[in-house]
Structures are given as structure tokens and as C-alpha cells.
Amino acid sequence: MAVLGNSLLNTLLQKETNRPHHVLTSRGTVGIYLLLKNLICPGDKVIVPSIVCPHVIYAVIMAKEIPLFCDIDINTYTMSFESYLQVKSLYPDAEAIILVETYGYPLDSRFEDKLLYSDKVIYDKAQSVGNSHGLNLPKAHTILSFGHTKPIDIGYGASVSSSDLNLIELIDTDEQALPVVSRERVEWL
């Protein structure tokens, strides 16, 4: 939709994500899809939590990637760090990981040490917008959804945030090339 320059929304997103560059997408699913499309190659493996919104998995599949499921921590509903280590040992060629703060619960802080310098991390803040917790992953790319059930609910839309301006510009170009579905068409379906 648009790479954000100097605007109030850009300032708010910088504060929330600790990333300098942002692009708006039509949905969080689209943002994840476009990140995967521009970060890794088709057929690569992506580590995802076993309990997550199905749209996250749709994005992985649509990007022609292979999802590898990790168990969750039963207390937080986020990805279990121990399960992540098991999956990574079984599939050392897994290229990316999608970390999701399900229901606003924080992720295990041990992910910071393991993924601190990886640029193939998608950090889906899901329903945790405004929470003070969060991992320090300076190279991660952040998704914030503004849809149904989210703290910022405008019905649709999302932002992709990154420290990599070139990546943000690629995502913006790719998002503009996607087919547009009108509200009338959606209501008819």
C-alpha cells in the first residue's frame, strides 16, 4: 500500500516495533507471504508454532515454503524453545522461523540468544500490540495486524516493519502487484 515516511503512523510503528522502515499491506497474511517470498527461496523450510492462526500457515504454503511445526509452551501458547531446538536439530536446513506472541503472551527469552543475529526471523506480534515485553531481535522483521481480534482493529490491514529499507521497498512493490479484491466481491462470496 505505501512505504511510510515521516508521519504519525510511522512514528507510532517505530515505537512499537523498534524498526525504522514500514510498509502497509492489505492483511497480516499478505505481509508474511511477501516477507517469505523476499527472504527465502521456494521449497525452503519455515519453523512455525503448532498452534497459530491458520492464515500464518496459508502464507507459508502460498510462498511455496514447507512449514515445520513446533510444539507450544502450554502456559503461554507460544512456541516452545525446547521444541524449536528439537526441530532445528532434525532440520538444520530450516531457513526461517515465524515467532508469534499468541494472545499477547511473551515468547521465551532464550530465543534472543539463539536468533539474535538472524535476518530470517518473522516476529508476528499478533495480539500483543502495546505490551511492554518483547524480544530484542534487531534483524527480525515484525508483523502487526490491524484486523479482527487485534488490539488495533480497523477490520483489515497490517504493517511490515524492518531495519532493511530495500526489503520494505520490495514488499511494497510486490504488494502493489497483487490482485485487488473489491468489498463488493467479498460480500458476494
Side-chain angles (χ1 to χ4, degrees), residues 54-71:
H55 295 277
V56 172
I57 306 308
Y58 300 158
V60 173
I61 293 168
M62 290 302 296
K64 297 182 171 72
E65 313 301 349
I66 301 165
L68 300 174
F69 294 94
C70 277
D71 285 334

Side-chain angles (χ1 to χ4, degrees), residues 12-61:
L12 293 171
L13 289 172
Q14 281 179 350
K15 183 178 179 187
E16 182 64 37
T17 66
N18 201 26
R19 305 287 177 273
H21 309 294
H22 316 280
V23 63
L24 299 177
T25 62
S26 56
R27 304 200 63 78
T29 307
V30 171
I32 293 170
Y33 162 75
L34 293 173
L35 272 168
L36 290 170
K37 182 177 176 268
N38 285 286
L39 285 174
I40 60 179
C41 299
D44 284 345
K45 297 173 181 77
V46 180
I47 299 172
V48 296
S50 59
I51 295 183
V52 70
C53 170
H55 295 277
V56 172
I57 306 308
Y58 300 158
V60 173
I61 293 168

Side-chain angles (χ1 to χ4, degrees), residues 70-73 79-89 108 110-111:
C70 277
D71 285 334
I72 61 153
D73 178 321
M79 186 182 295
S80 159
F81 184 73
E82 289 77 14
S83 181
Y84 162 74
L85 293 177
Q86 288 176 331
V87 170
K88 191 65 176 164
S89 71
D108 189 317
R110 293 177 290 175
F111 280 108

